[in-house]
Amino acid sequence: RLKYINDNFGHAAGDDAIKETSECVSKALNPDEFVARMGGDEFAAVLILSEVGRLGRFIRSVRSNFKEINESGKYEFELSCSIGTCELNNWHGVMDCMSKADKAMYLEKKAKKAAQDEWKSMSKEEKAEWREKKKQNDSKSKTLKESKEKIC
């Protein structure tokens, strides 16, 4: 995605995309957690999994941050991320853990690419039908979430 942004919008826009990506990930971190740029458009975040569900909350928060920036219309392009994870209990296996997370991230990228290719092949009618179904599902999810919040 960074190459696409650099090629189509210029390297200054690519730099902005990297900074914004870092911000989207950083905003999802708790104190004592950190993110580091590994190179290009790849980042590694170190989380402290001291509470149940921390990883899921982090991923949802990152995705929400990206959605928010994209919906703001701040950029001519859309920012996105693919996430790979692994759990590490000590620093001795850090390279193996990062390799596993990297593989998981590339699997997610591959799945997104397949979905994009499928979208491109759909007719206008199929896309309209898909949007309508998504709208209905989003509405159901929102209602379910609101119900859960009222119960809790």
Side-chain angles (χ1 to χ4, degrees):
R1 191 88 180 131
L2 180 60
K3 181 179 179 354
Y4 169 81
I5 293 170
N6 281 336
D7 291 349
N8 291 283
F9 301 96
H11 288 273
D15 291 347
D16 288 343
I18 290 169
K19 291 174 192 170
E20 198 71 62
T21 296
S22 175
E23 186 64 25
C24 286
V25 176
S26 294
K27 286 178 12 182
L29 297 173
N30 285 339
D32 298 326
E33 298 176 335
F34 64 92
V35 61
R37 183 174 175 208
M38 302 303 289
D41 59 351
E42 294 187 6
F43 294 81
V46 175
L47 308 180
I48 299 170
L49 303 179
S50 59
E51 55 193 66
V52 175
R54 171 67 187 120
L55 182 59
R57 281 191 300 282
F58 169 77
I59 292 170
R60 285 188 299 278
S61 180
V62 169
R63 294 198 193 290
S64 175
N65 293 341
F66 274 96
K67 182 178 179 183
E68 184 179 312
I69 197 69
N70 287 328
E71 289 176 350
S72 77
K74 183 175 181 179
Y75 300 106
E76 296 178 67
F77 49 84
E78 184 172 290
L79 291 174
S80 66
C81 70
S82 296
I83 299 173
T85 65
C86 78
E87 189 170 335
L88 181 66
N89 294 316
N90 62 57
W91 290 105
H92 298 291
V94 71
M95 295 308 291
D96 183 48
C97 183
M98 289 183 69
S99 177
K100 288 177 185 176
D102 203 42
K103 287 177 185 172
M105 178 195 63
Y106 278 104
L107 284 173
E108 185 175 351
K109 280 186 177 185
K110 188 176 180 180
K112 285 181 180 179
K113 172 81 169 89
Q116 289 172 348
D117 290 346
E118 182 179 350
W119 180 260
K120 289 176 186 175
S121 70
M122 292 170 69
S123 69
K124 286 182 181 180
E125 294 79 17
E126 290 171 319
K127 288 178 181 178
E129 183 180 329
W130 182 89
R131 284 186 185 105
E132 183 58 33
K133 285 181 182 177
K134 183 175 184 325
K135 187 177 174 183
Q136 291 171 358
N137 286 338
D138 288 349
S139 177
K140 288 178 186 176
S141 294
K142 183 179 178 184
T143 302
L144 181 60
K145 183 180 176 184
E146 289 169 352
S147 297
K148 285 182 181 177
E149 288 173 357
K150 287 178 185 174
I151 293 170
C152 296

